Every structure is written in structure tokens, then in C-alpha cells.
Amino acid sequence: MPLTAGIVGLPNVGKSTLFNAITKSQVEAANYPFATIKPNIKIVEVPDERVDRLAEIFHPRKSIKTTFEFTDIAGLVKGASKGEGLGNQFLGNIREVDAIVHVVRCFENSSIVHIEDTVDPIRDIEIVNLELALADLETVSNRINKVERRALTTKEKEAVKEFEMLKKLKTALEEGKMARSIELSEEEKEIFKNYHLLTAKPVIYVANVSENDVADLEQCQYYQRVREFAARENNQIVGITAQMEEEISALDDESRAMFLADLGLKRSGLDEIVLKTYALLNLCTFFTVGDDEVRAWKFTKGMKAPDCAGLIHSDFKKGFIRAEVYKYADLITYGSEAALKEAGKIRVEGKEYVCRDGDVMFVRFNV
């Protein structure tokens, strides 16, 4: 199953506008609550200049960058955990994603209705977080009801462990803490991952600021408040103007580059979101190269060479013998594979090799 990042937030904060820009698609982005009811899912290309540089070196017939999925989820409101505003459906959609991109309104605009009447990004974050925590609390409480009797009467070892951990979770959620912030033992983590809690998912905050503020985020008080909040949670933040990013995304590559250069930017806010979300999902990239194709492959950090080889083709994993590996950075330094070989920079790695971001890999196999 592909990893998916879900775009969430209150209604009318710019979620669908951001989604339009990220995917260059035209989902509905209307100025009223619940314009988005069914989640929209699109595959997003991950910007990676390394693929472009590799293509310049190998001159392949085609080059392919890696991708992952973004899901646009309708806005949550107070009471979502109790079914308000189609809340149960929306919470169910969030449960299916692997990471959360939480869009927060950080701009004033009297023509765009705010569901809470005023702009207050921290209040808005806390509304969403509370609804997610309440939904998790219900999940945990229901599980406690099923496990408690076995833990207290029959004293089953596994039930006792789970019950103790559930009580810890329940207390933390009642105190307003997110499940991802709770310290667990390795044994507890194995049990914990089966619950698929909403507040256990990693988060990145996207501050949707005005066009006047995006050029100098240090002076935007709304952005600074969200940045401080994110820092306390040890989460990342990206500041963008969703409307402007949507307009930029419609430009061709050359015009887009010129526009960004005029703003003094190396990459767009959207690229920052995509790259940071990619990292948030614990994803890395290795490359395969040749005359026919230069291709980026995504893998989860910690995967070993045979598993990464299996991403290319199942036979590569089944018959894996070894992998010839070198670093992308070394290729850029030395200029060619021949120079790398002469410098002894091409390594032969076996089945226990843990792949790293930026590896260029050639797989030897036999089936």
C-alpha cells in the first residue's frame, strides 16, 4: 500500500486550494463549509534535482522521479468526534492516512468566512487536535472495556501489559496530550501500533499566510505563533500563500523558475511541503541509472538491500546476490562511473546492507 499524507484543518483555511496547487488538479474549492465531502486522492511527484543531474550525466531515454499520495480531507468542526459536520466520516478518512498536513489559517480576509468568526490559528489547531484526541479516547476506552476483565481476573500476561498501557494512554489523552508524544517501551509500541490512533500520526503544520506576509514570515505574528506551537510539539512548519502557490503551479517550468527567482526563492512553498512530508513519512530515495532510464525509487528508512531491490522487481529480491552501490554525491564529485571505479568509490554490498538516501544501486541477481 502506498503511503499517504492527509491535508486537514477547519473549513475555509485553504486546504483544497493547497491541494489544487500540489496536484495541479481542480478539485472543488468553494467558500463555504463542507465543500469537500469525499476525500480527493492524487499522486504527487517529489521534486528531486538529483534525478535531473543524473539524466544530464547518463542521457537516458526517460527519467522518472518518485511519488507519493496526498489526500484532501473535508474540514473538521467542533463536535466532529460526536458526528457534528459529518465528523465521523471525516475522522474515518484521517484514520486511513499515514501522516497529517495540518493547514492553519494565518491571514485576515473579510470576504472569506471563518467558521469561528475570528482568525486565531492556535485556537483552530486546538479545536482539531481536541476532536482527534476525543476520537482516540473513545477508541482507547472501548479497548479498555474489552481487556480489563482478562487483565484483572484471569491475569493473562499479554492482557495485563495491554491494560497498563491503555490506562497510560487514557490518562494522557484526558490531559489533552497527543498519543505521539507518549513515551512507550518497544514492547508497548508493538501493541500500540494496532490501534491506528489519530493523534499518533506524525504532523506538519502549514501556515497559510497573506501574500504580503509570505515574503517576510518573521514579521507575521500569526505565523510566529504557529511556529512556536509546532516547536513545542517538536513538529515542523511551512509558511505559504495557498492562492499564490496555486497560481504558480499553473505556470510552465521556466516561468515558474523565473517567478520564484524574482521572489528570491530556490523552491516554492509547495515543494517544501512535499519534501518535508516525504521525510515525515520516513521515506528515502535510491536511484537506478542507465542509457534506457534514470529512476528514483522511494523506500522506508532502514530497509535492507534485498527489500529495496524487490521494489524494482520481485525477482530481484528473490534471487538477490549482491548490489554494486555508490553515493550520488560521489558521482557528482568525480563526474562518471569510470572515475568512481578508478577511485574505489563503488562498493559491493550484501544482503545485510541497509540502504541510504542517495545511493545509486545496480543489483546482481539470479532466479
Side-chain angles (χ1 to χ4, degrees):
M1 290 292 289
L3 293 176
T4 305
I7 303 175
V8 307
L10 295 182
N12 296 349
V13 298
K15 299 186 314 302
S16 293
T17 303
L18 174 63
F19 184 76
N20 287 344
I22 287 177
T23 64
K24 297 184 181 178
S25 63
Q26 295 300 313
V27 299
E28 186 176 16
N31 180 28
Y32 55 88
F34 315 120
T36 312
I37 294 177
K38 294 183 180 179
N40 297 282
I41 302 173
K42 293 292 180 182
I43 296 174
V44 181
E45 184 179 81
V46 179
D48 195 334
E49 62 184 18
R50 295 175 297 182
V51 175
D52 302 325
R53 290 296 305 277
L54 289 169
E56 290 172 4
I57 294 170
F58 290 94
H59 306 290
R61 294 182 182 87
K62 60 181 177 179
S63 58
I64 303 172
K65 294 179 180 178
T66 189
T67 62
F68 68 98
E69 290 184 355
F70 268 99
T71 302
D72 181 31
I73 298 171
L76 275 79
V77 295
K78 285 181 181 178
S81 59
K82 302 300 181 184
E84 292 294 327
L86 302 178
N88 291 331
Q89 179 181 338
F90 301 159
L91 291 168
N93 292 334
I94 296 172
R95 202 175 299 281
E96 293 174 4
V97 304
D98 301 286
I100 293 173
V101 177
H102 189 159
V103 182
V104 188
R105 179 168 168 173
C106 293
F107 65 90
E108 299 278 358
N109 189 329
S110 59
S111 65
I112 299 178
V113 177
H114 193 297
I115 198 166
E116 294 294 322
D117 296 326
T118 59
V119 176
D120 184 340
I122 305 306
R123 176 204 60 204
D124 293 354
I125 290 172
E126 290 176 342
I127 287 173
V128 173
N129 284 352
L130 176 60
E131 295 304 326
L132 299 183
L134 288 172
D136 281 350
L137 186 57
E138 183 177 3
T139 299
V140 169
S141 297
N142 289 340
R143 185 61 189 167
I144 285 175
N145 291 337
K146 293 180 179 179
V147 173
E148 185 174 17
R149 185 175 178 182
R150 289 185 9 239
L152 298 180
T153 58
T154 63
K155 306 289 185 181
E156 293 177 32
K157 185 178 178 181
E158 295 303 317
V160 170
K161 288 179 183 176
E162 184 177 5
F163 181 59
E164 291 302 318
M165 188 195 66
L166 285 165
K167 286 196 299 181
K168 185 194 300 186
L169 280 174
K170 186 171 185 289
T171 299
L173 289 166
E174 287 173 339
E175 292 173 351
K177 296 177 183 176
M178 303 292 101
R180 60 181 169 271
S181 69
I182 301 166
E183 291 189 13
L184 300 172
S185 66
E186 290 303 314
E187 194 173 30
E188 288 175 329
K189 287 177 183 177
E190 286 301 307
I191 305 170
F192 175 79
K193 67 184 181 182
N194 295 320
Y195 303 145
H196 305 291
L197 298 180
L198 302 173
T199 63
K201 299 178 187 296
V203 173
I204 182 171
Y205 290 105
V206 175
N208 187 12
V209 304
S210 72
E211 194 167 337
N212 291 332
D213 286 328
V214 74
D216 189 4
L217 292 172
E218 294 297 323
Q219 299 303 313
C220 178
Q221 292 186 6
Y222 288 142
Y223 173 85
Q224 292 302 323
R225 289 178 63 196
V226 177
R227 187 175 74 169
E228 290 168 5
F229 185 94
R232 289 196 296 271
E233 290 188 335
N234 200 29
N235 288 322
Q236 294 197 58
I237 178 175
V238 177
I240 64 155
T241 299
Q243 189 66 50
M244 186 175 72
E245 295 287 348
E246 185 179 19
E247 293 167 2
I248 293 172
S249 70
L251 300 174
D252 59 51
D253 290 344
E254 185 177 351
S255 299
R256 187 167 175 260
M258 289 176 61
F259 187 92
L260 292 172
D262 287 343
L263 294 174
L265 300 173
K266 288 186 177 180
R267 60 168 65 104
S268 71
L270 293 181
D271 286 349
E272 290 289 342
I273 293 169
V274 173
L275 290 169
K276 286 187 177 181
T277 305
Y278 192 75
L280 189 69
L281 288 167
N282 216 25
L283 296 174
C284 299
T285 304
F286 74 90
F287 305 96
T288 53
V289 298
D291 296 336
D292 183 55
E293 179 185 272
V294 164
R295 182 163 182 166
W297 301 86
K298 69 173 177 283
F299 68 97
T300 303
K301 187 181 294 184
M303 285 176 63
K304 293 183 179 179
D307 295 315
C308 285
L311 298 174
I312 304 170
H313 195 287
S314 57
D315 284 349
F316 287 18
K317 179 178 179 179
K318 190 187 305 181
F320 182 88
I321 299 172
R322 64 183 182 273
E324 295 170 10
V325 183
Y326 60 82
K327 297 178 182 178
Y328 164 82
D330 285 343
L331 177 65
I332 299 305
T333 299
Y334 287 86
S336 70
E337 286 187 332
L340 285 175
K341 191 173 293 185
E342 188 175 337
K345 294 294 184 179
I346 299 179
R347 312 183 311 276
V348 175
E349 301 288 357
K351 293 181 179 181
E352 294 304 309
Y353 175 68
V354 177
C355 292
R356 300 172 186 170
D357 186 71
D359 278 350
V360 181
M361 188 159 67
F362 181 81
V363 178
R364 300 287 184 182
F365 74 103
N366 183 34
V367 289

